[in-house]
Amino acid sequence: MNYATIKNCDIANGPGVRVSLFVSGCTHRCPGCFNEVAWDFNYGEPFTQETIDYILSLLKPGYIKGLTLLGGEPFEPQNQKGVVELLRQVKKQYPEKSIWAFSGYLFDRDMLSGKLGDLTEYLSYLDVLVDGPFVEAKKNLSLRFRGSENQRLIDIPQSLKSGNIVLWED
Ligand code: SF4
């Protein structure tokens, strides 16, 4: 996996001050995409254990509320191994910090169906998933933590527990 950017002080992609990782590679090609350069899986830098160590160090301060995954597409099959290894280490070291992820795939249609492979471990680390592609016709600048009205903020632990989609509430 390659990654495009790591932000150490992100207040736009989840609650509180967060570290965010923008992975490279996305096959959705949404018109109006905010980050077109990251469609290329070879864009940016290789994601290594050194990168994970760097992210772990950025997460250390008490004011950092958690980690957010964006792209690109963090759920593309070729990106899953690197992301899961990162989440495994983050959860081990910082179990109290929240994990958010943004995806152009749908939780029920694509993730629970097995279309993207076995996501059991991946989903077990997530607190909130913002799912669905960015749709320009449904763009709404007043929405919190999402760009278009079709996107959902899903409470993953509650959804997995209940078997229904439970939306996240602040
Ligand atoms: S899913 Fe995200 S990164 Fe991929 S094309 Fe759509 S808006 Fe861009």
Side-chain angles (χ1 to χ4, degrees):
M1 178 172 92
N2 273 23
Y3 71 99
T5 313
I6 294 169
K7 290 188 181 171
N8 64 354
C9 200
D10 188 346
I11 54 163
N13 295 303
V17 184
R18 315 181 66 78
V19 174
S20 48
L21 168 69
F22 292 74
V23 305
S24 296
C26 180
T27 56
H28 299 297
R29 299 176 185 269
C30 311
C33 168
F34 71 106
N35 195 16
E36 233 179 89
V37 290
W39 291 1
D40 179 358
F41 284 88
N42 296 315
Y43 180 74
E45 303 291 324
F47 188 80
T48 65
Q49 183 58 46
E50 276 184 12
T51 320
I52 294 178
D53 291 341
Y54 176 58
I55 292 171
L56 291 171
S57 73
L58 293 178
L59 284 165
K60 192 170 181 189
Y63 62 83
I64 298 287
K65 295 293 176 227
L67 172 71
T68 297
L69 307 164
L70 308 100
E73 173 55 77
F75 285 85
E76 294 291 4
Q78 53 270 67
N79 286 340
Q80 290 174 19
K81 193 170 164 220
V83 172
V84 168
E85 185 53 38
L86 168 67
L87 297 184
R88 204 178 277 144
Q89 295 186 39
V90 168
K91 271 292 166 194
K92 192 170 172 202
Q93 201 158 326
Y94 304 110
E96 75 287 2
K97 308 227 178 199
S98 66
I99 310 280
W100 279 49
F102 286 72
S103 176
Y105 289 110
L106 294 179
F107 177 61
D108 37 359
R109 186 194 68 189
D110 304 317
M111 297 184 187
L112 296 182
S113 68
K115 180 179 159 186
L116 298 173
D118 183 358
L119 291 170
T120 310
E121 184 181 3
Y122 196 145
L123 292 174
S124 77
Y125 297 131
L126 293 190
D127 292 287
V128 173
L129 171 74
V130 185
D131 83 339
F134 171 71
V135 178
E136 207 159 24
K138 294 185 177 169
K139 181 176 174 180
N140 181 342
L141 292 176
S142 69
L143 296 171
R144 196 167 173 226
F145 305 138
R146 57 202 170 113
S148 61
E149 283 163 3
N150 60 296
Q151 294 170 313
R152 304 175 293 187
L153 279 75
I154 300 175
D155 181 324
I156 295 298
Q158 288 303 322
S159 299
L160 291 175
K161 200 169 143 193
S162 68
N164 295 305
I165 291 184
V166 179
L167 297 180
W168 176 78
E169 284 174 29
D170 200 352

